Amino acid sequence: MIRTHPSDEALQQFVLERTACPAEEISHIESCPECQAAVAAYSTLANELAGQAPPAFDFDLAALVVGKLQGTAAPTAASPAPPD
């Protein structure tokens, strides 16, 4: 029997892929009102995020990231000056 609540990561795993959770965690979450409330919040968040349109960029993000990793990417826009 679990004596503490599962971590946030375990609760998120329960929401996203319950079958990957240990049986002991599943049992605790299903019988614990506090964990059920957290699972409900994570479920709402996951559903809202799933309903969002994928981001669209007006530049080749993959090329920019690979270029940055290789140290060859040219800056595409000036970065804002840090606050004083």
Side-chain angles (χ1 to χ4, degrees), residues 6-8 11 23 32 37 39 42-43 58 62 66 71:
S7 66
D8 285 330
L11 294 171
C32 175
V39 163
Y42 283 127
S43 293
D58 60 352
V66 169

Side-chain angles (χ1 to χ4, degrees), residues 17 19 24 26-28 44 47 50 53-54 57 59-60 64 68 73 75 79 81:
E17 191 178 358
T19 58
E24 190 173 70
I26 293 171
S27 177
H28 173 89
T44 299
N47 290 335
F57 299 102
F59 55 89
D60 186 349
L64 181 64
K68 289 281 187 187
S79 299

